[in-house]
């Protein structure tokens, strides 16, 4: 982390978990143990149908609510999709874009990720742009090129001013939901390379202001070490964000002096 230049952000990603009633129960449990706001911003990205419930339930908790996906078109005949204007109107601040599960199961491509990034920014929200390599890409030594390609594609046409509102989440696919975490060194190295890619595109000043998260089985045991890496400014957390105590332990790790 480097709090001098950029925000530390701890974000939960609930994926397709938690009903509206479970969301309210989670908020009650969190209320009892949530630490005072210190250094890090906290948010939880929830299924679209529970955004309003979550916003109400988390209101007094200093926890913002994010969305897990968005469609890039403004409006129209796109049955089942949710637009950026709809999310903004509900009070959403952050939107996850290009999660590897969406790339793998729902045909998300670098091109659609880029369109979604623009839609989110055009509606004054903040995209959390996910990038990450597969195990076989890592084993073949392709990680640096692949990540640089995903970052460049996602940011095509994004101005330096708007880039300041983007968060990049480095999520090695082999570490998501598997219990396998990248070592702090592996994760830190890729996050440093992501910042170098942004520096080459936008210059040093902009690059140092961008929050870069790590995601992939982050938990209370490994959070402190991962967040101690100079270019890891927070976490995108799946499994551990479903348990209030574990989520709070990670927030506490991010609030370290
Ligand atoms: C994620 O869904 O973005 C994620 C990192 O999940 P997990 O923490 O469960 O690996």
């Amino acid at each position: 982390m480097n709090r001098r230049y950029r925000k530390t952000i701890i974000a939960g990603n609930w994926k397709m978990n938690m009903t509206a009633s479970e969301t309210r129960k989670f908020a009650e449990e969190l209320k009892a143990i949530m630490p005072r706001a210190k250094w890090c911003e906290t948010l939880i990205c929830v299924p679209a149908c529970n955004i309003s419930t979550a916003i109400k339930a988390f209101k007094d908790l200093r926890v913002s609510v994010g969305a897990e996906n968005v469609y890039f078109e403004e409006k129209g005949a796109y049955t089942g999709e949710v637009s950026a204007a709809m999310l903004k109107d509900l009070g959403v601040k952050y939107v996850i874009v290009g999660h590897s599960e969406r790339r793998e199961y729902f045909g998300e491509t670098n091109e659609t990720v880029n369109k979604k990034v623009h839609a989110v920014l055009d509606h004054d929200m903040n995209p959390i742009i996910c990038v990450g390599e597969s195990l076989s890409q890592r084993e073949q030594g392709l990680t640096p090129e692949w990540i640089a390609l995903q970052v460049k594609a996602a940011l095509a046409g994004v101005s330096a001013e708007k880039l300041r509102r983007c968060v990049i989440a480095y999520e090695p696919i082999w570490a998501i939901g598997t219990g396998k975490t990248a070592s702090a060194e592996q994760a830190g190295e890729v996050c440093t390379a992501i910042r170098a890619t942004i520096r080459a595109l936008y210059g040093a000043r902009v690059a140092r202001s961008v929050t870069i998260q790590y995601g992939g089985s982050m938990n209370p045991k490994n959070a402190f070490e991962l967040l101690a890496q100079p270019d890891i400014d927070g976490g995108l957390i799946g499994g551990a964000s479903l348990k209030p105590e574990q989520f709070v332990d990670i927030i506490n790790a991010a609030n370290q002096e």
Side-chain angles (χ1 to χ4, degrees), residues 60-77:
D60 302 325
L61 277 170
R62 300 171 305 276
V63 176
S64 308
V65 173
E68 299 176 11
N69 183 32
V70 65
Y71 193 51
F72 51 78
E73 292 291 353
E74 196 53 36
K75 57 159 80 170

Side-chain angles (χ1 to χ4, degrees), residues 148 152 192-207:
K152 285 182 195 160
T192 298
I194 291 174
R195 201 174 304 287
T197 300
I198 297 173
R199 191 180 306 121
L201 293 169
Y202 293 91
R205 246 175 164 217
V206 180

Side-chain angles (χ1 to χ4, degrees), residues 11-15 96 99-101 130 169-172 175-180 214-219 236-241:
N13 172 18
W14 277 2
K15 313 190 186 199
I96 297 175
H99 192 281
S100 61
E101 287 152 16
C130 300
Y170 167 55
E171 298 209 308
I176 297 180
T178 57
K180 267 189 211 157
Y214 167 78
S217 301
M218 190 185 262
N219 60 45
L236 182 56
I237 299 129
S241 73

Side-chain angles (χ1 to χ4, degrees), residues 129-150:
I129 304 163
C130 300
V131 296
E133 82 286 4
S134 66
L135 189 57
S136 88
Q137 285 172 317
R138 174 160 283 268
E139 285 170 351
Q140 290 173 73
L142 299 173
T143 303
E145 290 88 338
W146 179 250
I147 301 294
L149 185 130
Q150 284 189 318

Side-chain angles (χ1 to χ4, degrees), residues 26-38:
F26 178 97
E28 281 308 313
E29 288 172 23
L30 192 61
K31 216 170 266 177
I33 55 172
M34 185 72 183
R36 285 182 63 75
K38 229 172 151 191

Side-chain angles (χ1 to χ4, degrees), residues 51-66:
I51 287 172
S52 290
T53 302
I55 286 178
K56 234 190 255 168
F58 297 160
K59 202 170 79 192
D60 302 325
L61 277 170
R62 300 171 305 276
V63 176
S64 308
V65 173

Side-chain angles (χ1 to χ4, degrees), residues 102-164:
R102 295 217 57 89
R103 293 182 194 251
E104 184 178 352
Y105 306 131
F106 302 99
E108 197 85 277
T109 63
N110 282 339
E111 197 191 344
T112 58
V113 168
N114 176 248
K115 286 183 178 177
K116 290 181 178 196
V117 167
H118 281 282
V120 171
L121 290 168
D122 289 348
H123 287 274
D124 293 324
M125 297 180 289
N126 310 289
I128 298 178
I129 304 163
C130 300
V131 296
E133 82 286 4
S134 66
L135 189 57
S136 88
Q137 285 172 317
R138 174 160 283 268
E139 285 170 351
Q140 290 173 73
L142 299 173
T143 303
E145 290 88 338
W146 179 250
I147 301 294
L149 185 130
Q150 284 189 318
V151 170
K152 285 182 195 160
L155 297 178
V158 172
S159 67
E161 198 195 319
K162 283 187 170 170
L163 182 76
R164 291 175 188 273

